[in-house]
Amino acid sequence: MRKFLSIIAIALFGFMLAGCSEDEGTSEAEGKEADKVKVAYMPNYASLNTVVAGMKIGAFEEQGIEVELVEFADGPTIIAALESGSIDVGYIGPGAHVLPIQGEAEIFAFSQLGNADEVIGSSEKGVKTIEDLKGKTIAVATGTSSETILDLTLAEVGLTKDDVTLMNMDASAIVTAMISGSVDAVATWSPNTNAIKNEMGDDAVMLSNNARYADQFPSIASWLVKPGYAEKNEDVLVRFTKGLYKGMDYRVDNLEEVAKWVAEEIAVDPDAVVQQIGDGEWITQDQLMTMIEDGTLEAYYKKQQENFKDAGRLKEEEMRPVEEYVLFNIMTDAAK
């Protein structure tokens, strides 16, 4: 009997030790510090909807990621910040993609095909049609997707940049210049386009947008990192992309709710952000995987290179295989 009780005591002691060990392990996992990722964005729905949705539904937290948002005015500035190390990942619109092709960044996730860029003329300044742009002064942020749409718009009627006067401005200055009458037309993106049209009313004439040239120029928006970052931080990047995917899927069925979350983040009127819901073609994770598997996504990026070359923004020798700067492995690994 005494021997039996000793065996029971030893067994209970063993269970107690196992329990303590398990508790300590759980505590250690729960107490693990999240990996902070500094995320560059532009203050609009297209740039923010996926990441903000992921933050709000806890998708990044589930992956052990703490997101810190940092605002920028445009894609080229974001890529410069990546290079300096002040941010970790960033979002860019179509126009800035020439820089990853040239080796200044690597794309790790596709965001959407956009429809946020427009060329807007002032009817009071005599710009009611694309042809009317000849000899006019146009404000544009060079190196952005809006410059690309402007190039396509001019080419449609046989014009080039030599036929107009371009004024290079940042986003906020473009809006002010157009509303004040300092320029005859602008090439810019949402929400600047909405602000201009709301203020100018019928005087603002939309001459062209991304959708007009969708077959010729897929307006790709992407997430990117500086060269070498993905190799050193693959695990973090995959987990961050998993968070993006959950945000993508949630966003598709909750466009207006996410618009209000974005408005809260950038401290603007929710109605102004709701107006931007049509600025892109919003897809799910499954749709993205299909685009990768059937070659559609690679074809988009190839066409983008050809367009940059034709527009004189990319030299023939700078063109290279898409897989050298688009990290399809990160996208597919994050979907597992």
Side-chain angles (χ1 to χ4, degrees):
M1 182 67 178
R2 209 178 281 122
K3 182 177 180 181
F4 175 74
L5 291 175
S6 297
I7 293 172
I8 293 296
I10 292 170
L12 287 172
F13 183 67
F15 280 125
M16 288 174 64
L17 286 176
C20 289
S21 176
E22 183 178 346
D23 288 343
E24 286 173 5
T26 302
S27 176
E28 183 179 346
E30 290 176 351
K32 183 180 178 183
E33 187 175 347
D35 292 301
K36 181 176 286 188
V37 177
K38 292 185 178 180
V39 180
Y41 71 93
M42 289 172 273
N44 55 52
Y45 186 81
S47 177
L48 269 174
N49 66 76
T50 302
V51 68
V52 166
M55 291 169 68
K56 286 289 189 178
I57 65 175
F60 294 108
E61 186 178 357
E62 287 176 7
Q63 295 298 325
I65 299 290
E66 178 186 345
V67 172
E68 180 183 334
L69 295 175
V70 185
E71 182 178 326
F72 288 83
D74 55 57
T77 308
I78 286 174
I79 291 176
L82 284 172
E83 178 60 30
S84 73
S86 61
I87 57 170
D88 300 309
V89 308
Y91 167 99
I92 60 168
H97 278 71
V98 71
L99 298 174
I101 297 169
Q102 292 171 328
E104 295 189 31
E106 294 177 332
I107 294 164
F108 70 88
F110 171 82
S111 185
Q112 78 271 341
L113 291 181
N115 190 35
D117 301 289
E118 295 181 9
V119 177
I120 301 173
S122 169
S123 62
E124 287 190 2
K125 294 277 192 171
V127 184
K128 298 180 181 179
T129 67
I130 296 174
E131 289 83 355
D132 293 334
L133 289 171
K134 186 174 182 179
K136 299 298 185 180
T137 300
I138 307 172
V140 61
T142 58
T144 66
S145 53
S146 296
E147 183 182 20
T148 302
I149 296 302
L150 177 59
D151 290 338
L152 291 166
T153 303
L154 294 172
E156 182 179 334
V157 294
L159 298 176
T160 69
K161 289 174 179 174
D162 292 334
D163 297 307
V164 300
T165 299
L166 294 185
M167 295 186 67
N168 182 24
M169 300 181 178
D170 65 28
S172 60
I174 287 174
V175 175
T176 302
M178 186 63 169
I179 293 173
S180 68
S182 300
V183 296
D184 306 310
V186 297
T188 189
W189 58 87
S190 174
N192 306 325
T193 51
N194 295 328
I196 289 169
K197 289 183 284 189
N198 289 341
E199 184 67 28
M200 295 179 63
D202 293 339
D203 182 31
V205 182
M206 197 275 284
L207 303 176
S208 63
N209 61 7
N210 302 93
R212 188 182 185 97
Y213 308 108
D215 293 338
Q216 300 168 254
F217 195 95
S219 296
I220 305 168
S222 304
W223 290 93
L224 72 175
V225 292
K226 70 179 180 180
Y229 179 93
E231 186 176 353
K232 296 176 182 177
N233 303 276
E234 183 174 349
D235 174 64
V236 171
L237 204 53
V238 167
R239 286 188 283 121
F240 177 81
T241 307
K242 284 178 180 288
L244 282 181
Y245 285 169
K246 282 204 171 183
M248 286 170 62
D249 289 349
Y250 185 87
R251 173 237 14 231
V252 167
D253 296 320
N254 302 277
L255 292 172
E256 289 201 15
E257 180 184 19
V258 174
K260 291 173 183 176
W261 288 344
V262 171
E264 179 183 355
E265 181 64 42
I266 60 178
V268 300
D269 181 357
D271 291 339
V273 182
V274 170
Q275 288 180 28
Q276 301 167 31
I277 287 176
D279 288 351
E281 180 183 332
W282 316 119
I283 63 171
T284 64
Q285 172 188 309
D286 288 343
Q287 289 172 316
L288 175 57
M289 289 305 106
T290 299
M291 289 167 61
I292 294 173
E293 290 164 8
D294 66 15
T296 298
L297 190 59
E298 183 177 4
Y300 281 157
Y301 285 109
K302 282 183 178 178
K303 181 62 176 174
Q304 186 181 58
Q305 282 200 52
E306 293 169 9
N307 288 331
F308 281 136
K309 180 175 72 80
D310 293 343
R313 297 188 60 199
L314 191 68
K315 298 177 182 178
E316 178 73 38
E317 58 268 26
E318 292 177 316
M319 297 182 71
R320 57 189 180 126
V322 170
E323 61 269 19
E324 288 187 6
Y325 65 95
V326 179
L327 308 178
F328 293 109
N329 63 304
I330 299 294
M331 298 188 219
T332 53
D333 286 350
K336 295 176 182 176

